[in-house]
Amino acid sequence: MDDEDLLAILADERRRSIGFDHDSELSGEREKALNYIKGEMTDVPSMPNRSKAVSTDVSDAIETLLPDLVEIFTGGDDVATFIPRGPEDEQAAKQETDYLQYVVFQENDGFLNLYTLFKDALTVKTGVAKFWWKEGDEETETLEGKTRDEVALLAHNSELISYEPAKDQPDEPVLGPDGQPLQLYDVVVKKPGSDGRVCIKAFPPEDFTVAPDTVLLSEATYCAARYRPRAQELIAQGISRDIVDQLPAYGTPHDDSISQARDEAGESDNPRGGGIRDMRQVEILEHFVRLEEGGKLQLWRVVTGGGETVLIEKERVSRVQFAAITPYVITHRFYGRSVADLLMDLQRINTAITRGYLDSIYFALNQRLEVDMGRANEFTISDLLRNEPGVPIRVNRAGAVTPIQAGGAGFNGLEALEYFQTKAEQRTGIVRNAQGLNPDTLHETAQGAMALIAASQKRVRLIARIFAETGIKDLFLGVHALLREHASQQVQVRLRGNWTPVDPSTWGNRADMSIEIGVGSGGKQAELQQITAEMNVVKEIITLQGGEGPIVTWANLYALAKRFFEKGGCKAPEAYLSDPSSQEMQQAQQAKAQQPNPELMKVQAQIQGDQAKAQASAQIEQMKAQAKMQLDQQSAQHDLQLQAQRNQLDLELAQRKHDAEWQLKQQEAALTAQLKAREQEFEMQLAARRQANEERANVSGATFGGDNP
């Protein structure tokens, strides 16, 4: 196939492909989703002097989902793991896994690439990542004052670009073996650069297109990407200036609405393209197409400019150098659905409800009024326009101003918003309550909240699994293939805390890879809990078998403990654990076996200890008996002294009691005599008073006569 036929095929495939701006349906949905995220909703116009509030359901859902997805793929040590083909392949598969992790996340900005990739997929249906091999840059070096022999040695060891007599000769000439002055030269040599490296970058989905029959990108018959570099960048990459000069300057030949929808600061307000000469911006296309050759399909990478009018370069490649993901798969189709696709209609509804609810509040606070101009005066209207607290409304007569009763919405706006938010959660699986809130504050029971969160996590994990089994796996396998094909030097890389030599040129072709899902959002903690439970079971087995036995060996314990450390985030568990199968441990075991039997020494020590203990016990018992005898004698003497003191106290107490009773009887007799004398005196006084009263009564009766009272 000649170049003209190849360019014609590429032009036809691009015209029929889906993804560039000539696909109005896909481009329109992408532009709409990007505008909805910014809160620009041209399909929901606001009325003049009414609320212009916008609900941000699409943006909120995407920003809610992103942290979990990013943590799942960046929260652990191994995103992708190669499966060993046998026991002898265990270490090789592990090293390749570790080195790919290093290339993706250390040599490239893995976190930002994954973040961009995921956000594009959640927003505009697909996230696209490009991976390619970048050759190391060669360096030139100027060396001054070199002799002819030194120039010859430099020419032998490196590529000699130029040499000329030195401009600055030394004050004292350099003499040769024969004593004659030597001619010195200034030399320019080219030094070989590094071996090159793999580059990874998230790619704008609107600049990527695929054939309409594509389902899996790795099996696509045709796909293409477009770039807009400066002309000088192409020349710096080694493309002939004659070819670059044929490329027209890039203006805006296609609809640039998606790029404008991404703008947050008016980045696309100025015309795209521009620049003169080598500074001009051009557009090139990178095609991947499968063509039949000799009964087999061969994948070609072809770069063209000016559409498909200028052939820049072409080469056979082993795989498509792009990887793509979509969050909600449409079976048997390349393009799926995004979070924006599921929520844009609900955002329109919530925006309308929010605006209506706010308008009803505004009308309630600023109610419309009816003015009777017959009762109003020249100040009434101006006073009404000053809607301030405490400002009076001046009228001629009462009743000049009356409120107009407006109809209500007829429903609770807040309840309606909550209803549609629930519908959004059911549709996408993105639950607000799964973001660290206290479940008891939003639900009747914690169990109900946890069930809701668990359901949400299943949906998130499903999206993560779809990403892993499609684009992420293609990305890692593609990076592995690029390293095998292009890396030709052994490198020293720090893997898991140790400097390790890695030579990708010795790797074999791999297609079996597992993707770990669940290390984020509490998954790591769940794994650690599972390993802890396993360790408890192993501990019980060791107890039952009385130490190392046929079921659990030291090698089994080492493997389990190492797994626990690795899942906990320790990159070098070997620093804390010793492999029982290592040579050092084997030597330690042999040295331990040559030492005296610790069990026998333990028994002998125990016998000697028992004898010493028996002697000490006998001495203690004898000392106890002597001490008891002395104690009994002292106790008897003390009891006799105590009894004598007690008898003396009893005698003194009895004497004191007798004296007190005698004094009490004498005092009682004296008091009785005094009391009796007072009673007699009182009776005599009472009798005298009685006699006096009777005499006064007789005198009164004689004076008034008879019984007259």
Side-chain angles (χ1 to χ4, degrees), residues 139-143 161 187-191:
E139 300 177 357
T140 59
E141 184 177 3
T142 301
L143 304 174
I161 298 178
V187 186
V188 179
V189 297
K190 181 183 293 185
K191 300 175 64 177

Side-chain angles (χ1 to χ4, degrees), residues 306-370:
E308 288 79 21
T309 60
V310 179
L311 179 62
I312 298 176
E313 61 181 6
K314 65 178 180 178
E315 62 175 340
R316 289 186 178 93
V317 292
S318 60
R319 63 178 56 239
V320 175
Q321 295 176 359
F322 287 91
I325 59 174
T326 186
Y328 300 98
V329 174
I330 301 299
T331 55
H332 313 298
R333 292 292 183 270
F334 174 75
Y335 291 104
R337 304 183 71 187
S338 66
V339 172
D341 294 334
L342 301 180
L343 291 182
M344 282 191 290
D345 60 335
L346 295 180
Q347 181 166 322
R348 287 194 295 272
I349 295 172
N350 287 337
T351 297
I353 295 174
T354 301
R355 290 177 178 177
Y357 186 72
L358 293 176
D359 286 338
S360 66
I361 295 176
Y362 298 151
F363 279 119
L365 297 177
N366 303 274
Q367 194 169 20
R368 299 184 65 190
L369 301 173
E370 179 184 82

Side-chain angles (χ1 to χ4, degrees), residues 524-540 560-561 563-565 567-568:
K524 179 183 292 186
Q525 187 65 28
E527 289 185 358
L528 290 176
Q529 292 176 355
Q530 175 64 26
I531 297 174
T532 302
E534 295 172 0
M535 294 178 71
N536 291 332
V537 174
V538 169
K539 182 178 179 180
E540 294 181 2
L560 184 59
R563 177 168 164 242
F564 181 83
F565 273 71
K567 293 300 181 182

Side-chain angles (χ1 to χ4, degrees), residues 196-208:
R197 67 184 186 91
V198 174
C199 296
I200 304 171
K201 186 177 181 180
F203 197 78
E206 61 269 19
D207 288 330
F208 186 76

